[in-house]
Amino acid sequence: MARKASLSGFPEWLPNERLVELHVLDTLRRTFELHGFSNVETRAVETVGQLLRKGDIDKEVYGISRLQAGESTGDDPNALALHFDLTVPFARYVVENAGHLSFPFRRYQIQKVWRGERPQDGRFREFTQADIDVVGDGTLPFKYDVELALVIAEALEALPIGDFKLRVNNRKLAEGFYLGLGLSDTAGVLRNIDKLEKIGAPRVKDLLLDEVGASSDQADAALALAQIRTEDMSFIEKVRALGVEHELLEQGLAELGEVVEMAVRRAPGRVVADLSIARGLDYYTGTVYETVLVGNEKLGSICSGGRYESLATKGNRTFPGVGLSIGVTRLVSRMLADESAVASRHVPTAVYVTLAQNDSWSDAQDVAAQLRARGISAEVAASAEKFGKQIKFADKRGIPFVWFTQEDGTHEVKDIRSGEQLVADPATWMPAAEDLTPRIAAATA
Amino acid sequence: MARKASLSGFPEWLPNERLVELHVLDTLRRTFELHGFSNVETRAVETVGQLLRKGDIDKEVYGISRLQAGESTGDDPNALALHFDLTVPFARYVVENAGHLSFPFRRYQIQKVWRGERPQDGRFREFTQADIDVVGDGTLPFKYDVELALVIAEALEALPIGDFKLRVNNRKLAEGFYLGLGLSDTAGVLRNIDKLEKIGAPRVKDLLLDEVGASSDQADAALALAQIRTEDMSFIEKVRALGVEHELLEQGLAELGEVVEMAVRRAPGRVVADLSIARGLDYYTGTVYETVLVGNEKLGSICSGGRYESLATKGNRTFPGVGLSIGVTRLVSRMLADESAVASRHVPTAVYVTLAQNDSWSDAQDVAAQLRARGISAEVAASAEKFGKQIKFADKRGIPFVWFTQEDGTHEVKDIRSGEQLVADPATWMPAAEDLTPRIAAATA
């Protein structure tokens, strides 16, 4: 992956790189479907009004307009713009189709999104997200917060990405703690705690003093809370040791405890209670998730999400939701950059059927059709060049087998890699399972 | 499909409708990969300069601009716009990555495209295309024109769309015929012949007289050519009977003959030589293809394409190509509208694992995990409501089986449809093959 995108921020992959991405997408789809998530796609565009509805938006939006019609983009809320995530469109979809959906509704959605941000390492202007959410009608049992952590851990575990940690926190825990401390601007505290990894504790403390009006003791306590990180239930004792009490804090401790207790049992080593996770400006109201690759923490979160008490509303009807979003492009670009996953070949073709004469093309297609009927990808040469040239054609693409039909009608198949050539019957011959389709292998470090 | 898109021209499907679309996409992907086509995706945006390069463009383009940056779209050739097809982006991709590709390069590409046209029946502003192309470096054997017709016929045959006809013509045949007639503005003749289906022969004749300067005899001969339509090689005799001679005409007859001869043998009844096919403004230089659903011709072409002598150029290097593009959204919207294909259920879930008590959730997940390990999609209830309510939950979604774990640790599985309930082992139980995943069945008329 020495190539640079010809348009900064808009990555494109070569066919063998795309095979790695397809493997990631297929694996996610399979895991989500095994867990009963239905697939949905929404249109790429929303109205500007819909996209900016939550007001305090920190995403750069691309407006669209018909060139030939001389339309211009702008502040018109009915103007169209490309979606910057899959949550806003999904919320609209749920409201529009509520009468046709069964709640709690489990959906996965894998699509491109666009953000006009300055491109940099791991940040793109066009990228693919893979989201799962469960959304309820009026209420949504907390068990789904637990389940989604486990589904995502299973999905990520099935990818050739090495070790990862799903960091979980709970807004109720943090907000209850701040309220118990006597800090009422909980959003302000969270916004500054979110900067911890970027600017460090001393500067966050200054901001808490200056912007949120915290005392030095209050700021120290808020920072002490954010230091707590455990892979088991001991985070509860550590929070209690800080001596703060509030009803909301108790709720948060119980909820986070439920996630961690089940994760210890069902996904050991994958989930950590990390009380520094704040998820910035996002409108979560309970559980929040972030995920880092172990040893690659600088890449940022590859999978984030949380619980919304109100993902969407329709009249006086409220739809709470919990979900996570995987940054597929960020993940794949990292895998390609460090070659941690590679395709066993560049093309789907397993067998290249050679031509002895130009007029045997249809017979060669008969051979190929017999192979394809058993799921073996096969191509037929377009012209009867010298066999050496036809074999080289296949070899250059990494096609493992070439097929020859002799004048007497018998068939032979040659493994290009070993040179072994054997008599074969197009109606029954099968390649080894690992040669049937391109395989994606995690490189051994 | 009584629902209307909430934004005209931007269709969205319900989960059960999306299952039909996924079935179409999966089937196309499988067929293309069995024939050795590699997948590629290109970015959604191109520069305006790139999109409008061919000048005489008849597609409405959506420009994009960053709202927060106060950018405006316009005539700047470096401004960005959404692609309106997959051919222009693929041509750019080939030029940019020529050093990394093996030619002839076989690729398939399935992505959304956008056109700012007035939405109408079968015409959308956002829709999915599925393209296959083979592109050569300098030359590309004609055999690929034959092969692509067969691959597309096989791909469409695998879809639940009923009978279709792939109409094939050849620009050399038509242009050679017009030149042989003494009409040198062959593009002008083609452009008007293309209107035949829309406005009828008498008006096309008027246009040929007025716009192309044809004599009445010349116009009649051009119209007579466009009347020829045969499913076998007899089109050649019918052309010869018109008494026109030209070298290019001979080339075209030979090429179209090669496609039809092989199609008669390998895809009987699917391909027709139709000398009225012109493909309007598109820059084809040889074979042209269009496809209609039999009995649904008014829907327009669901799959079109042809041969470009120069799909792309890089310095003095030329890349000829031949390819076809399937209008997936047009096809799927038709299937949904007339309910000619329906999903056997709305969700991927095959088994709903019930809960006897809330604290048996993890045990229930153990059951579900054993099922998933064998590819059986399974969900666990989020809370231990009354069994009747849990069964109703599953039934409402069309989940065929519910699972019960008794207090003594034995398991039973109930087929909701038949009511039959049997003892089962989570480590070995399998549903019938047709119940494993949602199936898409063509409705019997």
Side-chain angles (χ1 to χ4, degrees):
Chain A
M1 234 275 299
R3 296 171 320 114
K4 273 182 69 172
S6 62
L7 193 61
S8 177
F10 293 86
E12 290 183 325
W13 311 131
L14 290 171
N16 59 314
E17 297 173 330
R18 172 65 178 161
L19 284 171
V20 172
E21 184 171 57
L22 277 176
H23 174 74
V24 169
L25 297 174
D26 289 344
T27 303
L28 294 177
R29 173 181 174 184
R30 182 172 164 78
T31 307
F32 298 156
E33 290 183 353
L34 280 175
H35 285 265
F37 288 81
S38 290
N39 186 231
V40 151
E41 282 203 344
T42 55
R43 48 177 149 87
V45 305
E46 299 290 333
T47 60
V48 169
Q50 182 74 27
L51 286 179
L52 304 182
R53 207 162 50 98
K54 298 235 167 180
D56 202 11
I57 206 80
D58 62 342
K59 313 287 194 298
E60 286 260 15
V61 174
Y62 277 115
I64 75 166
S65 56
R66 289 164 57 212
L67 285 190
Q68 280 90 332
E71 286 179 357
S72 65
T73 53
D75 295 334
D76 178 3
N78 292 319
L80 300 179
L82 297 174
H83 57 213
F84 56 77
D85 73 2
L86 301 178
T87 305
V88 173
F90 178 57
R92 175 193 50 77
Y93 178 94
V94 165
V95 169
E96 283 182 7
N97 298 294
H100 301 274
L101 304 173
S102 296
F103 295 95
F105 176 49
R106 308 156 76 82
R107 87 85 174 76
Y108 76 94
Q109 187 169 350
I110 302 179
Q111 285 183 253
K112 297 219 168 96
V113 304
W114 294 268
R115 295 182 190 176
E117 295 171 4
R118 195 166 58 82
Q120 46 184 302
D121 196 32
R123 270 192 197 276
F124 304 97
R125 293 186 149 188
E126 174 179 70
F127 55 100
T128 299
Q129 289 194 328
D131 281 29
I132 55 172
D133 286 89
V134 182
V135 57
D137 183 359
T139 59
L140 183 70
F142 181 78
K143 216 65 176 184
Y144 290 109
D145 294 48
V146 181
E147 188 191 349
L148 283 205
L150 299 175
V151 173
I152 279 292
E154 191 176 319
L156 294 176
E157 209 154 315
L159 299 178
I161 56 169
D163 198 13
F164 62 87
K165 292 285 181 198
L166 181 60
R167 299 169 171 174
V168 190
N169 195 6
N170 192 296
R171 281 270 170 97
K172 293 177 188 169
L173 191 164
E175 288 176 20
F177 186 89
Y178 305 150
L179 291 172
L181 273 177
L183 291 168
S184 57
D185 179 8
T186 58
V189 183
L190 272 175
R191 197 172 49 241
N192 287 304
I193 290 291
D194 198 34
K195 300 173 183 160
L196 206 46
E197 210 152 352
K198 227 178 243 171
I199 65 175
R203 288 186 54 200
V204 170
K205 182 171 178 179
D206 289 345
L207 289 171
L208 291 174
L209 299 182
D210 296 349
E211 291 189 4
V212 192
S215 70
S216 179
D217 282 355
Q218 287 172 324
D220 286 340
L223 284 166
L225 184 77
Q227 301 299 330
I228 296 173
R229 195 177 288 203
T230 73
E231 295 203 10
D232 57 21
M233 302 291 278
S234 62
F235 74 92
I236 296 177
E237 282 317 299
K238 294 188 177 187
V239 173
R240 296 212 191 288
L242 297 175
V244 176
E245 284 182 11
H246 195 273
E247 197 194 323
L248 199 58
L249 169 61
E250 286 308 310
Q251 270 185 45
L253 284 170
E255 289 191 356
L256 184 57
E258 202 174 330
V259 175
V260 172
E261 186 185 16
M262 202 53 82
V264 166
R265 210 193 306 184
R266 304 197 62 83
R270 296 305 194 181
V271 177
V272 48
D274 184 333
L275 306 202
S276 70
I277 302 303
R279 300 296 316 142
L281 291 174
D282 291 317
Y283 288 76
Y284 299 117
T285 50
T287 308
V288 284
Y289 314 92
E290 269 188 22
T291 315
V292 290
L293 295 178
V294 174
N296 242 308
E297 288 80 359
K298 277 189 185 154
L299 188 65
S301 178
I302 54 151
C303 173
S304 313
R307 153 78 71 152
Y308 290 90
E309 220 36 72
S310 164
L311 177 77
T313 55
K314 182 178 190 173
N316 55 7
R317 210 165 150 192
T318 294
F319 300 93
V322 57
L324 290 109
S325 175
I326 299 176
V328 173
T329 304
R330 182 178 287 190
L331 212 45
V332 169
S333 76
R334 210 271 319 190
M335 291 159 76
L336 296 176
D338 65 9
E339 294 177 334
S340 59
V342 285
S344 59
R345 61 177 188 258
H346 292 202
V347 294
T349 318
V351 180
Y352 189 71
V353 183
T354 62
L355 279 188
Q357 299 128 356
N358 279 326
D359 63 7
S360 56
W361 190 82
S362 187
D363 295 334
Q365 285 289 358
D366 284 338
V367 169
Q370 286 179 279
L371 298 174
R372 289 180 200 126
R374 292 197 306 289
I376 306 165
S377 173
E379 274 177 61
V380 173
S383 51
E385 297 177 300
K386 284 186 182 151
F387 281 130
K389 217 170 161 188
Q390 295 187 54
I391 294 170
K392 204 178 144 196
F393 181 100
D395 195 25
K396 204 174 156 195
R397 283 159 176 72
I399 299 173
F401 299 99
V402 280
W403 193 278
F404 303 96
T405 302
Q406 316 293 344
E407 272 181 51
D408 64 2
T410 61
H411 301 273
E412 292 189 2
V413 63
K414 179 193 187 87
D415 184 326
I416 298 186
R417 298 154 303 182
S418 67
E420 191 183 39
Q421 186 163 333
L422 296 169
V423 172
D425 179 347
T428 57
W429 178 84
M430 280 296 288
E434 67 266 25
D435 288 333
L436 189 60
T437 54
R439 300 272 152 166
I440 306 303
T444 45
Chain B
M1 234 272 303
R3 297 172 319 112
K4 273 183 69 172
S6 62
L7 194 61
S8 176
F10 293 85
E12 290 183 325
W13 310 131
L14 290 172
N16 60 315
E17 297 172 332
R18 172 65 177 161
L19 284 171
V20 172
E21 184 172 58
L22 277 176
H23 174 73
V24 169
L25 297 174
D26 289 344
T27 303
L28 294 177
R29 174 180 174 185
R30 184 173 162 78
T31 306
F32 298 156
E33 290 183 353
L34 280 175
H35 285 266
F37 288 80
S38 291
N39 187 231
V40 152
E41 282 202 346
T42 55
R43 46 177 152 86
V45 304
E46 300 290 333
T47 60
V48 169
Q50 182 74 27
L51 287 179
L52 304 182
R53 207 162 50 96
K54 299 232 167 183
D56 201 12
I57 206 80
D58 62 342
K59 314 285 193 299
E60 285 261 14
V61 174
Y62 277 115
I64 74 166
S65 56
R66 290 165 55 214
L67 285 190
Q68 281 90 334
E71 285 179 356
S72 65
T73 53
D75 295 334
D76 178 2
N78 292 319
L80 300 179
L82 297 175
H83 56 214
F84 56 78
D85 73 3
L86 302 176
T87 304
V88 173
F90 178 56
R92 175 193 51 75
Y93 179 93
V94 165
V95 169
E96 284 181 7
N97 297 295
H100 301 275
L101 304 174
S102 295
F103 295 95
F105 175 50
R106 308 157 75 83
R107 86 87 175 75
Y108 76 94
Q109 186 169 350
I110 302 179
Q111 285 184 253
K112 298 218 167 98
V113 303
W114 296 267
R115 295 182 190 175
E117 295 170 4
R118 196 166 56 85
Q120 46 184 303
D121 195 32
R123 272 194 195 275
F124 304 97
R125 293 186 150 187
E126 174 179 70
F127 55 101
T128 300
Q129 290 193 328
D131 281 28
I132 54 171
D133 286 88
V134 182
V135 58
D137 184 358
T139 59
L140 183 70
F142 181 77
K143 216 64 176 182
Y144 289 109
D145 295 48
V146 181
E147 187 190 350
L148 284 204
L150 298 175
V151 174
I152 279 292
E154 190 175 321
L156 294 176
E157 209 153 316
L159 299 178
I161 56 171
D163 197 13
F164 62 87
K165 292 285 179 197
L166 182 60
R167 301 170 170 173
V168 190
N169 193 6
N170 191 297
R171 281 270 170 100
K172 291 177 190 169
L173 191 165
E175 288 176 21
F177 187 88
Y178 305 149
L179 291 172
L181 274 177
L183 291 168
S184 56
D185 180 8
T186 58
V189 183
L190 272 174
R191 197 172 48 241
N192 287 304
I193 290 292
D194 198 34
K195 299 172 184 162
L196 204 46
E197 211 152 354
K198 226 178 244 170
I199 65 174
R203 288 186 54 199
V204 169
K205 182 171 177 179
D206 288 345
L207 289 170
L208 291 174
L209 299 181
D210 295 349
E211 290 189 3
V212 192
S215 70
S216 179
D217 282 355
Q218 287 172 325
D220 285 341
L223 284 167
L225 185 77
Q227 301 299 331
I228 297 173
R229 196 178 286 203
T230 73
E231 294 203 11
D232 57 21
M233 301 291 278
S234 62
F235 74 92
I236 296 178
E237 281 318 300
K238 294 188 177 188
V239 173
R240 294 210 193 289
L242 297 175
V244 176
E245 284 184 11
H246 195 275
E247 197 195 323
L248 198 58
L249 169 61
E250 286 306 312
Q251 271 185 44
L253 284 170
E255 288 190 357
L256 184 56
E258 202 174 330
V259 174
V260 172
E261 186 185 18
M262 202 53 82
V264 167
R265 207 190 312 182
R266 304 198 63 82
R270 296 306 193 180
V271 176
V272 48
D274 183 333
L275 305 203
S276 71
I277 301 303
R279 300 297 314 144
L281 290 174
D282 290 318
Y283 288 77
Y284 299 116
T285 51
T287 308
V288 285
Y289 314 92
E290 270 187 22
T291 316
V292 290
L293 295 178
V294 174
N296 243 307
E297 288 81 359
K298 276 190 184 151
L299 189 65
S301 178
I302 55 152
C303 173
S304 314
R307 154 79 70 150
Y308 289 91
E309 219 36 73
S310 163
L311 177 75
T313 54
K314 183 177 189 174
N316 54 8
R317 211 166 152 192
T318 294
F319 300 93
V322 57
L324 290 111
S325 176
I326 299 176
V328 173
T329 304
R330 182 177 289 191
L331 213 44
V332 169
S333 76
R334 210 269 322 188
M335 292 160 75
L336 297 176
D338 65 10
E339 294 177 335
S340 59
V342 285
S344 59
R345 61 178 188 258
H346 292 201
V347 294
T349 318
V351 180
Y352 189 71
V353 183
T354 63
L355 278 187
Q357 300 128 354
N358 279 325
D359 64 6
S360 57
W361 190 83
S362 187
D363 295 335
Q365 285 289 355
D366 285 337
V367 169
Q370 285 178 278
L371 297 175
R372 289 180 199 126
R374 291 197 307 289
I376 306 165
S377 174
E379 277 179 58
V380 172
S383 51
E385 296 176 299
K386 284 186 182 149
F387 281 128
K389 218 171 161 188
Q390 295 187 54
I391 294 169
K392 203 177 145 198
F393 181 100
D395 195 25
K396 203 174 155 196
R397 283 160 177 73
I399 300 173
F401 299 100
V402 279
W403 193 278
F404 304 95
T405 303
Q406 317 292 346
E407 272 182 52
D408 64 1
T410 58
H411 301 272
E412 291 188 3
V413 63
K414 180 194 186 87
D415 184 326
I416 298 186
R417 298 156 301 182
S418 67
E420 190 181 43
Q421 186 163 333
L422 296 169
V423 171
D425 180 347
T428 56
W429 178 85
M430 279 297 286
E434 67 267 23
D435 288 333
L436 190 59
T437 55
R439 300 272 152 166
I440 307 303
T444 45

